[in-house]
Amino acid sequence: MATCLWFRSCSARHLRLALHDRGLCPVAGYWAPGQAPLRAYVPGPDGLPTTLLRTNSFVGGRWLPAAAAFPVLDPASGAELGRVADCGAPEAHAAVRAAYEAFCSWRGVSAKERSSLLRKWYDLMIRHKDDLAKIITAESGKPLKEAQGEILYSAHFLEWFSEEARRIYGDIIYPPAKEKRALVLKQPLGVAAVITPWNFPSAMITRKVGAALAAGCTVVVKPAEDTPFSALALAEILLHHAANSVKRVSMELGGHAPFIVFDSANVDQAVAGAMASKFRNSGQTCVCSNRFLVQKGIHDSFVKKFAEAIKTNLHVGNGFEEKTTQGPLINEKAVEKVEKHVSDALSKGATVVTGGKRHQLGKHFFEPTLLSNVTQDMLCVHEETFGPLAPVIKFDSEEEAVAIANATDVGLAGYFYSQDPAQIWRVAERLEVGMVGVNEGLISSVECPFGGVKQSGLGREGSKYGIDEYLELKYVCFGGL
């Protein structure tokens, strides 16, 4: 199942010129070949913004249907939110062709104009932030407060890259020959293909698309089939200003994050960090801690306080309920994986400290779970759970902890707590991950590079480095001076 989304990003003036050249005429603020555009809305559930719930794919400035459609479900209730265009290879090829045609003009748009468009998109997201958050909660189950936080996080990527668009500088090199000058130019790559996950259906789009548009690229987006409405809503609000964009391979493929607590750590700080790192979005983020390694001298105290914090601070429920901190998992397969990891661990000697089974609210809800006496032969130590499961492994030495942490083929994020300055430097350098949280459980920031090592992906997103993924260097040798 796939829904195509093509952003053609340009100013209103460039959009009109490009579309008139293709024989298209404006109708009620949209563009179509002499007819009103296709505007298929889903009849949204109570409280959801029907004007933003689009069901068709967005290609070439138009909303287009597909031959088939697939259902999008509310993971909390199982109710169908709507049916979305199921795009296949023909629709994907059409989107890429449209994006390439747009790239031929968009690459020549000034940095100032690209900056202005991204800033306008940011403003529109802020204006519609409450409606966009409701869509995230409806289709992903994420608690509404977390969804509201994601929308602000998403919008800030557009704000950041609207500023970075004006700071894409080249270089001048002075070679040995005095009559020559060497120039280095940064130029947009072309069409970028963006495939985004369901757990951050808004932020993972703006973090990629914002950088691509700022660089002068155009973009084809394939959102997750579990959460397509968020992506389509972003296209809808941008369309009211101008429209459309994405290609090179920059991939973030998830992680299996270790969370290490050394004997010198402040236990209360470590527990607070563990709560933030593990249970955000019910454990369904790529940087969630998946393996808790706790040194033997502090182990029992940490487990006790961690369990108390889970029981006191976490409330399972529908994401639209005010007190909810833990919503449903995205689907049945996600719940089954958590069950499988818990069952495997228990069969090999692990102990349930709290939780351990499906929640009484329904089939997609799972109790926040803490396991102790976990060993390295258990599935939860070797596979990313992607759910509310916190397995704790006791270790003896720093060398042992680092070896366990690095014994995986992925390396996105890692966390550790210590008050020993020398140890902090050693472990930060030795952890085989792209991002490290030292005495901190929340590390993502618009201004900082996001990405991993090993099989956790290629390239970086966000920060001043994120735009480099959509640029290529050109060397020009200027002689005869």
Side-chain angles (χ1 to χ4, degrees):
M1 295 182 290
T3 292
C4 294
L5 201 62
W6 166 61
F7 290 107
R8 177 213 185 83
S9 219
C10 52
S11 67
R13 179 172 62 86
H14 282 89
L15 180 64
R16 292 191 187 97
L17 288 175
L19 291 174
H20 275 303
D21 288 344
R22 290 153 71 180
L24 302 180
C25 61
V27 180
Y30 295 81
W31 296 87
Q35 61 182 11
L38 297 163
R39 297 169 58 82
Y41 295 101
V42 67
D46 291 344
L48 290 185
T50 56
T51 56
L52 293 181
L53 290 174
R54 304 307 300 259
T55 60
N56 289 335
S57 61
F58 184 55
V59 179
R62 299 185 63 208
W63 294 101
L64 301 176
F70 62 89
V72 180
L73 306 179
D74 175 356
S77 66
E80 183 174 306
L81 298 173
R83 301 183 70 83
V84 174
D86 190 358
C87 299
E91 291 85 358
H93 290 151
V96 172
R97 284 194 299 270
Y100 179 75
E101 292 174 9
F103 171 70
C104 295
S105 58
W106 177 241
R107 67 185 302 175
V109 173
S110 71
K112 181 178 180 180
E113 289 180 275
R114 295 200 298 268
S115 173
S116 295
L117 179 121
L118 287 169
R119 177 67 198 198
K120 181 63 177 178
W121 198 7
Y122 162 80
D123 292 338
L124 290 168
M125 282 199 70
I126 296 300
R127 184 186 307 170
H128 294 279
K129 64 182 187 298
D130 292 335
D131 286 341
L132 293 171
K134 290 177 182 177
I135 292 173
I136 289 178
T137 295
E139 65 180 353
S140 76
K142 181 176 293 189
L144 188 58
K145 288 183 179 178
E146 285 194 30
Q148 291 167 340
E150 180 182 341
I151 292 302
L152 293 178
Y153 182 50
S154 306
H156 288 154
F157 280 113
L158 299 178
E159 181 186 40
W160 174 265
F161 285 116
S162 74
E163 297 162 356
E164 286 297 297
R166 303 180 71 166
R167 294 194 286 262
I168 301 174
Y169 306 132
D171 207 350
I172 298 178
I173 301 171
Y174 289 82
K178 64 180 181 180
E179 73 281 1
K180 294 182 179 181
R181 296 292 183 273
L183 310 179
V184 178
L185 308 178
K186 291 186 177 181
Q187 298 182 317
L189 284 169
V191 178
V194 167
I195 302 173
T196 57
W198 55 262
N199 56 337
F200 285 91
S202 177
M204 295 304 97
I205 289 178
T206 59
R207 190 165 73 185
K208 296 170 172 61
V209 174
L213 299 185
C217 295
T218 53
V219 187
V220 175
V221 179
K222 191 275 180 189
E225 57 265 26
D226 289 305
T227 55
F229 284 127
S230 292
L232 295 168
L234 291 179
E236 171 70 11
I237 64 172
L238 178 60
L239 182 60
H240 284 292
H241 178 63
N244 316 29
S245 21
V246 117
K247 174 157 182 191
R248 180 188 234 158
V249 177
S250 173
M251 302 181 70
E252 182 271 293
L253 299 174
H256 189 37
F259 188 106
I260 307 172
V261 185
F262 291 103
D263 281 344
S264 66
N266 180 304
V267 178
D268 292 332
Q269 289 181 357
V271 168
M275 291 289 289
S277 172
K278 174 70 257 184
F279 293 107
R280 188 161 57 109
N281 197 24
S282 299
Q284 299 174 114
T285 85
C286 52
V287 292
C288 274
S289 296
N290 209 65
R291 300 165 291 156
F292 289 82
L293 315 177
V294 185
Q295 200 159 13
K296 62 181 181 180
I298 206 172
H299 174 273
D300 292 350
S301 176
F302 175 84
V303 170
K304 179 181 179 182
K305 291 188 175 184
F306 196 10
E308 291 173 351
I310 291 172
K311 295 174 183 177
T312 302
N313 300 321
L314 299 183
H315 302 280
V316 179
N318 189 298
F320 285 108
E321 296 174 357
E322 181 69 22
K323 68 176 183 179
T324 295
T325 64
Q326 302 288 286
L329 300 191
I330 188 65
N331 53 36
E332 178 67 16
K333 288 183 178 179
V335 181
E336 289 175 352
K337 186 173 185 181
V338 180
E339 284 186 319
K340 179 181 178 182
H341 281 191
V342 171
S343 176
D344 171 80
L346 296 181
S347 71
K348 295 174 181 176
T351 302
V352 174
V353 182
T354 185
K357 61 183 183 300
R358 296 193 187 216
H359 196 276
Q360 60 185 6
L361 284 178
K363 66 177 185 177
H364 288 172
F365 292 88
F366 202 91
E367 296 176 344
T369 300
L370 177 62
L371 300 181
S372 63
N373 299 319
V374 173
T375 55
Q376 294 183 59
D377 61 335
M378 298 175 183
L379 280 177
C380 59
V381 177
H382 297 284
E383 297 179 1
E384 184 178 25
T385 304
F386 226 66
L389 171 61
V392 179
I393 303 170
K394 184 188 296 187
F395 70 87
D396 292 320
S397 66
E398 175 185 315
E399 291 71 21
E400 180 188 4
V402 172
I404 294 173
N406 290 340
T408 176
D409 58 358
V410 292
L412 185 59
Y415 309 85
F416 70 92
Y417 278 70
S418 171
Q419 298 297 317
D420 181 341
Q423 183 178 63
I424 287 173
W425 281 111
R426 287 195 305 270
V427 176
E429 292 180 354
R430 291 174 61 196
L431 282 181
E432 296 173 357
V433 295
M435 302 174 289
V436 179
V438 181
N439 298 324
E440 178 57 59
L442 295 175
I443 59 176
S444 296
S445 174
V446 168
E447 298 82 4
C448 301
F450 186 102
V453 299
K454 299 181 178 177
Q455 294 187 33
S456 278
L458 305 170
R460 292 297 182 269
E461 296 178 341
S463 80
K464 69 176 184 179
Y465 303 103
I467 205 166
D468 290 341
E469 299 301 320
Y470 302 95
L471 296 167
E472 57 187 358
L473 298 179
K474 176 181 286 185
Y475 159 54
V476 178
C477 181
F478 195 167
L481 300 178

